[in-house]
Amino acid sequence: MKSKKGTIFHWIGIAVIFALGFAVLSPTEFGVKPKGDWQLSFLQYNYVEGEKQLADTDQLALQIGRKTVLSLASKGGFSETPSCGSIGGVNNWNKGQDFCFLNVDGNVNTEFNSIYKKYDKEAASFTVSRQGKELIGKSDTKVSLGSGMEQYVLNSGFRANLGYDFDEYFLLQDQAKKMVNECKSAPQLQDCLEKVKPAYWKFGSCDNEQFEEKAGKIIFCIESPGKYAVFEKGTFVPVKYKVGLDFGMN
Amino acid sequence: MDDFTDLLSFALIIFMLGFFTVWIFHTDTADKSDQALGKLDSFHGQEDLLQLISAPAVLENKNVQMKDVILSAVNSNNADLFSQKMQEYFDQQALEGGIAVYDSVAYGAEEEPEPLFSFDNVAFLGKEKGAVYLTNINSDGKLKSIVVKLFG
């Protein structure tokens, strides 16, 4: 009778071949995993994608912000017609002795969101504030990237440097108040204004200055005292304010 | 004699098993390291792209960002402006490779879309480092995205 004690080794051999076959064909990953693999994937597919979206949002906000600057300037800083009324589509800053309160922050916020909605009707509303020459937008909407354990959530806000300071409105309103106070009872309104108004305040139009009075009301085009210009359609457009002042004391 | 053969076979199998295990693990580690380095390289490529679009640039003696230059070039169809600013940036950063800008619609629809503009300072562009979409209010006042791709 032949001894079968050695057959165990043959079975081991067969088992090893099966094990190797399983290791090669199995979808399970064997072996060591390099350090930082998960972290790199997370950075690549979540953080970098998030930064790209923020860069895009910032750029769109910058373009909208520039349009906001020009649009508000053409309306004397008011997003809607003020209670002081308007002359020929130009908003008045005062009605007799009373100046209409120019809420710069509120108007910037309203105008920015109004223009933004024109381009993207489904866009979230932003709460826009100013910090020097920058516009900062905050929204309740969150951007969520990834899924499950690998989730990256960020605020969909923006920060855009307009290279323009809305505080110019305060300087111009102070100058307007001074002009109205000094010239309201002047017999020769034009002569008085010529003496009082700064050179960047132009009668009627910035390109073709012409004095024109209608019942004590005068339209001004004001060149930006800080010589601000915003980048629009591939060129720098100078900021020009259109404002109506009422010198009639009725 | 049989016992001796069995023992020899067993020793041979153990040796082969050990050899294959070490070989597989070694290959596996090398592959994974290459993969990790590839991902790291790709991450740095994406960073280069983000840096490029946010880099400061000068237009008409005023400070803007490279995103502005790219969008301005697209809106005014100014290939010279694009090439000049990219040349300056690539020289300044000692970058080798290229950049291409596509219309997002063509980019999504065509297999090999024709770029609106491109710039390179090498004979062969190399692999794609990253791509980013930028929303553009174009000259006719409508939103239209572009795609900026960096190669190197």
Side-chain angles (χ1 to χ4, degrees):
Chain A
M1 192 170 165
K2 209 173 178 180
S3 170
K4 291 184 179 175
K5 279 189 288 182
T7 52
I8 183 82
F9 298 118
H10 297 291
W11 285 113
I12 288 172
I14 291 165
V16 165
I17 290 164
F18 271 104
L20 280 172
F22 176 74
V24 171
L25 298 174
S26 165
T28 312
E29 284 196 27
F30 290 89
V32 291
K33 285 191 173 169
K35 286 178 181 170
D37 185 55
W38 183 90
Q39 288 84 347
L40 279 171
S41 293
F42 184 83
L43 287 171
Q44 180 90 341
Y45 300 113
N46 299 294
Y47 169 74
V48 169
E49 287 307 314
E51 288 300 304
K52 283 180 184 175
Q53 287 196 21
L54 287 182
D56 185 30
T57 307
D58 279 356
Q59 182 59 30
L60 182 58
L62 184 61
Q63 294 175 74
I64 303 284
R66 287 167 174 160
K67 287 187 182 296
T68 303
V69 171
L70 296 176
S71 171
L72 276 182
S74 70
K75 295 190 277 187
F78 290 100
S79 54
E80 285 163 17
T81 308
S83 58
C84 291
S86 61
I87 341 159
V90 177
N91 289 332
N92 292 333
W93 272 5
N94 70 320
K95 194 171 186 179
Q97 293 278 48
D98 301 322
F99 266 77
C100 282
F101 177 65
L102 182 57
N103 176 4
V104 174
D105 290 319
N107 285 316
V108 169
N109 187 42
T110 309
E111 192 71 7
F112 181 93
N113 280 300
S114 158
I115 297 176
Y116 206 108
K117 292 274 181 206
K118 274 187 203 166
Y119 292 103
D120 189 355
K121 288 185 177 61
E122 290 168 13
S125 280
F126 290 99
T127 305
V128 182
S129 59
R130 300 180 294 126
Q131 203 170 77
K133 294 178 182 176
E134 289 187 328
L135 273 192
I136 296 156
K138 288 180 182 168
S139 160
D140 293 334
T141 314
K142 307 262 185 209
V143 174
S144 180
L145 297 155
S147 58
M149 293 290 283
E150 285 184 28
Q151 211 163 20
Y152 185 61
V153 180
L154 60 158
N155 293 319
S156 65
F158 64 83
R159 196 178 188 102
N161 189 346
L162 299 177
Y164 166 84
D165 197 341
F166 285 95
D167 280 348
E168 276 206 330
Y169 281 103
F170 301 119
L171 170 74
L172 296 177
Q173 274 225 322
D174 286 345
Q175 291 170 348
K177 282 174 186 168
K178 191 180 169 205
M179 284 159 61
V180 170
N181 278 335
E182 292 194 16
C183 298
K184 63 188 175 194
S185 48
Q188 292 295 322
L189 186 55
Q190 186 177 0
D191 292 346
C192 177
L193 286 172
E194 295 277 13
K195 285 176 197 157
V196 175
K197 75 175 179 66
Y200 44 80
W201 281 72
K202 312 276 186 190
F203 295 120
S205 155
C206 283
D207 304 319
N208 183 22
E209 198 175 3
Q210 207 167 11
F211 182 82
E212 198 178 329
E213 182 196 341
K214 274 184 190 166
K217 293 185 177 73
I218 296 171
I219 292 173
F220 290 91
C221 172
I222 314 164
E223 290 171 349
S224 164
K227 301 204 181 303
Y228 289 122
V230 292
F231 194 63
E232 174 79 350
K233 291 180 183 170
T235 184
F236 283 92
V237 179
V239 179
K240 292 173 184 173
Y241 305 88
K242 291 290 268 184
V243 171
L245 290 182
D246 180 11
F247 292 89
M249 292 298 113
N250 303 326
Chain B
M1 187 64 188
D2 274 354
D3 286 349
F4 177 74
T5 314
D6 287 341
L7 197 63
L8 195 66
S9 310
F10 182 61
L12 196 66
I13 288 164
I14 295 294
F15 171 76
M16 283 175 66
L17 184 63
F19 174 79
F20 279 120
T21 308
V22 170
W23 180 62
I24 287 168
F25 270 66
H26 182 76
T27 312
D28 192 48
T29 310
D31 282 352
K32 288 282 162 57
S33 297
D34 285 347
Q35 282 174 26
L37 285 172
K39 278 187 180 174
L40 197 61
D41 197 37
S42 170
F43 175 66
H44 288 312
Q46 303 268 17
E47 276 192 325
D48 287 344
L49 175 63
L50 284 169
Q51 272 178 15
L52 186 151
I53 60 168
S54 301
V58 177
L59 272 181
E60 296 178 34
N61 295 321
K62 290 196 168 67
N63 295 324
V64 292
Q65 287 190 335
M66 203 58 99
K67 289 183 281 187
D68 270 324
V69 173
I70 296 169
L71 293 176
S72 174
V74 169
N75 290 339
S76 56
N77 198 21
N78 191 340
D80 291 341
L81 171 72
F82 180 81
S83 299
Q84 182 208 335
K85 293 295 173 187
M86 290 306 148
Q87 174 89 59
E88 281 171 19
Y89 183 81
F90 274 63
D91 289 350
Q92 195 186 356
Q93 301 292 321
L95 277 179
E96 284 192 346
I99 183 168
V101 179
Y102 303 85
D103 179 290
S104 67
V105 178
Y107 184 78
E110 296 167 24
E111 201 167 314
E112 284 184 19
E114 191 68 26
L116 298 169
F117 299 117
S118 64
F119 166 82
D120 64 78
N121 59 2
V122 286
F124 300 102
L125 270 182
K127 64 179 171 118
E128 182 187 322
K129 281 180 154 185
V132 64
Y133 280 76
L134 288 178
T135 310
N136 178 25
I137 299 173
N138 64 3
S139 46
D140 62 5
K142 288 179 184 160
L143 282 186
K144 202 170 184 185
S145 291
I146 57 163
V147 182
V148 182
K149 261 176 144 181
L150 183 66
F151 300 89

